[in-house]
Amino acid sequence: MGVDLRQVVAAILTLTMFVMLGQMIKRDHFDSLQDKLPGEAQDSQFDNTNVIENDGLVKLSKRSKGPWIDDSQELKPCWSKTAFDEIEQPRGYVTFSLTNGPEYHVSQIADAVVVARYLGATLVLPDIRGSKPGDVNNFQDIYDVEKFMKSLDGVVKVAKELPNEISIRDLAAVKVPNRVTEDHIVENVEPIFKSKGNIRLATYFPTVNMRKTAQKSSVDSVACLGMFGTLELQPQVNEVVDLMIERLKTLSRKSDGQFIAVDLRVEILENKNCHGSGSTGAKSCYNAQEIALFLRKVGFDTDTTIYLTQSRWDSSLSVLKDIFPKTYTKESIMPEEKKGKFLESEDSEFEKVIDFYICSQSDVFVPAISGLFYANVAGKRIASGKPQILVPADIPGTSAAITNYLSPYVSKKNHLAYSCFC
């Protein structure tokens, strides 16, 4: 019996379409899961003929061996401080604290700036609180105070501390959702502020996804400025980040100084359910072995340098180091003279900040864990022209094109950052 060639071709095309659709669903699922959350590798070679070299979003590097992606042009802010109305004589104060690490800080700053601007209040420089009781830093211990105040000049008046005549006990506590809206401020914040005169603000996170919305608001430009234009590391912390990045680049000579940063923290993986869910088997986190296999299958050589956000080495990471011997944690690449303050103290806030900024500046970022760290690192990378964000997956077969695993934040341009930058 003869075989109709057209039917064979149609069957192949249909099968290919379902495979591609399955991979797209997995990447979307990794992002959508954020709404619910605050081995020996087979040798595989990277084949340029199987990869889209320029899909309008990313361009594969031609200067390095492997599936490295070039930086894109750094985006420019869509907002301008000259477009803001002049601030009137401030009345009352808005105080707040930064908590839970830098991935939360950027959102907390944005909400506080939006609220203070709308109320016409003075914003008081926040302190920084860690996860342990009594774990408190001054803002200037981590961030650059002068640059922060200068960035808000003409937008919001900033005071370094509350006046002596105002007691902390006199502040009215107000909670606002992340990405607070003008309507929420009018209905839930302004009446309390008018009644009490001074408030203490706290941001809660009903969702941790950072996808942009179609709805426009008069506070959008202020939120963009607050999130992307205010926070810079103070010189000592910035120096440690720069020294560690330089060390990683030195270790990456064979890949032209390029390295991968992976957000993989063992204590979080142990507390999360990383098993697949739904018909696609998509997961919210991946362990060391799964990350190693993923990186090999998309074409990274075993000589690739990898930085892990895990602070100290854990035996569960050995499978990753077996496949990628140049795998490092902070303790092995931080300069010895810096460890006393930034690694060996009981204050973990410095470690979180270092991870956030290294992941924002690495040549490739792979979030092994879904959540706000992934979302806000993605925003910082998009703004600075570093779209190389790969969402891991369990890849069938021995190899796959790296562009199939770009974060939907980049491939769909649906991150909030794309609303803030042009």
Side-chain angles (χ1 to χ4, degrees):
M1 183 173 66
V3 177
D4 190 332
L5 183 60
R6 289 174 297 179
Q7 290 181 330
V8 174
V9 172
I12 293 172
L13 288 173
T14 301
L15 180 61
T16 302
M17 180 185 70
F18 278 115
V19 171
M20 292 176 66
L21 180 61
Q23 296 301 337
M24 289 171 65
I25 291 171
K26 285 186 179 183
R27 285 183 291 139
D28 280 345
H29 184 70
F30 190 85
D31 278 3
S32 66
L33 282 165
Q34 297 178 78
D35 293 347
K36 306 172 186 176
L37 303 169
E40 189 73 25
Q42 293 184 354
D43 189 34
S44 61
Q45 292 184 336
F46 183 72
D47 183 359
N48 282 330
T49 61
N50 293 331
V51 178
I52 305 168
E53 294 232 358
N54 189 347
D55 63 0
L57 292 167
V58 297
K59 186 175 182 182
L60 290 170
S61 176
K62 295 183 178 180
R63 60 189 172 88
S64 304
K65 179 184 177 183
W68 298 98
I69 299 170
D70 284 337
D71 288 352
S72 57
Q73 188 172 2
E74 187 169 344
L75 302 180
K76 295 181 179 179
C78 298
W79 75 85
S80 170
K81 288 204 297 184
T82 58
F84 296 142
D85 294 333
E86 265 189 52
I87 55 174
E88 299 176 1
Q89 184 64 32
R91 55 188 187 280
Y93 291 84
V94 172
T95 70
F96 68 113
S97 293
L98 300 179
T99 61
N100 300 320
E103 66 270 34
Y104 287 85
H105 296 175
V106 292
S107 296
Q108 290 162 344
I109 287 284
D111 291 327
V113 170
V114 166
V115 170
R117 167 77 185 184
Y118 186 87
L119 297 176
T122 296
L123 186 67
V124 179
L125 208 63
D127 58 9
I128 301 173
R129 304 195 176 194
S131 54
K132 300 174 184 176
D135 188 1
V136 181
N137 286 288
N138 294 319
F139 185 85
Q140 58 266 29
D141 292 336
I142 293 177
Y143 298 112
D144 190 315
V145 173
E146 300 310 317
K147 288 187 177 178
F148 177 77
M149 296 181 75
K150 185 177 180 181
S151 70
L152 293 173
D153 186 36
V155 180
V156 173
K157 184 178 179 182
V158 180
K160 292 187 176 181
E161 55 188 17
L162 269 175
N164 292 331
E165 62 268 21
I166 299 178
S167 169
I168 295 176
R169 290 175 295 182
D170 296 332
L171 301 174
V174 178
K175 288 187 176 182
V176 297
N178 177 35
R179 300 169 69 173
V180 63
T181 62
E182 184 176 351
D183 287 345
H184 185 92
I185 297 171
V186 170
E187 293 174 15
N188 301 286
V189 182
E190 192 172 27
I192 299 174
F193 180 74
K194 286 182 175 179
S195 170
K196 299 293 185 180
N198 305 290
I199 61 173
R200 178 164 181 79
L201 200 67
T203 297
Y204 65 94
F205 290 79
T207 174
V208 294
N209 93 71
M210 294 302 293
R211 288 190 290 271
K212 66 181 180 182
T213 60
Q215 187 176 359
K216 299 295 181 181
S217 168
S218 61
V219 301
D220 287 349
S221 294
V222 179
C224 288
L225 169 62
M227 180 166 285
F228 296 107
T230 57
L231 288 181
E232 291 187 27
L233 296 178
Q234 59 100 321
Q236 282 187 321
V237 182
N238 196 58
E239 180 192 20
V240 176
V241 172
D242 287 347
L243 288 170
M244 292 174 69
I245 289 176
E246 190 58 39
R247 174 67 174 151
L248 288 163
K249 288 183 176 295
T250 301
L251 293 165
S252 310
R253 291 193 192 96
K254 290 187 179 180
S255 57
D256 203 24
Q258 298 175 109
F259 70 94
I260 299 172
V262 180
D263 178 31
L264 192 159
R265 289 161 281 166
V266 174
E267 69 277 10
I268 293 182
L269 291 178
E270 289 175 347
N271 293 326
K272 287 171 71 82
N273 178 12
C274 294
H275 299 296
S277 60
S279 59
T280 64
K283 302 192 295 186
S284 63
C285 46
Y286 291 82
N287 63 31
Q289 179 174 332
E290 291 167 327
I291 292 297
L293 293 175
F294 170 73
L295 292 175
R296 285 295 283 137
K297 288 183 178 184
V298 296
F300 285 104
D301 190 85
T302 55
D303 198 52
T304 300
T305 299
I306 297 175
Y307 172 79
L308 301 177
T309 54
Q310 172 72 18
S311 291
R312 291 159 186 80
W313 194 258
D314 186 89
S315 59
S316 66
L317 304 174
S318 296
V319 64
L320 178 57
K321 197 172 183 71
D322 288 344
I323 298 172
F324 293 95
K326 292 183 177 179
T327 296
Y328 304 98
T329 57
K330 279 180 282 299
E331 61 183 345
S332 55
I333 61 166
M334 184 180 288
E336 200 65 37
E337 68 275 13
K338 304 293 185 183
K339 288 183 179 179
K341 178 176 181 179
F342 295 102
L343 186 60
E344 293 168 358
S345 69
E346 293 186 3
D347 186 353
S348 63
E349 209 62 34
F350 288 117
E351 296 180 32
K352 295 176 185 177
V353 168
I354 287 168
D355 287 335
F356 187 82
Y357 282 83
I358 289 180
C359 289
S360 299
Q361 297 177 52
S362 61
D363 298 281
V364 172
F365 171 54
V366 179
I369 306 161
S370 68
L372 198 62
F373 188 95
Y374 158 46
N376 276 338
V377 166
K380 196 165 181 62
R381 292 183 67 94
I382 289 165
S384 59
K386 288 185 170 293
Q388 312 93 328
I389 307 164
L390 303 180
V391 171
D394 295 324
I395 301 174
T398 59
S399 63
I402 193 171
T403 47
N404 291 343
Y405 300 95
L406 276 175
S407 166
Y409 280 141
V410 174
S411 62
K412 295 184 177 182
K413 288 192 171 184
N414 67 5
H415 195 284
L416 174 65
Y418 288 109
S419 298
C420 295
F421 290 87
C422 305

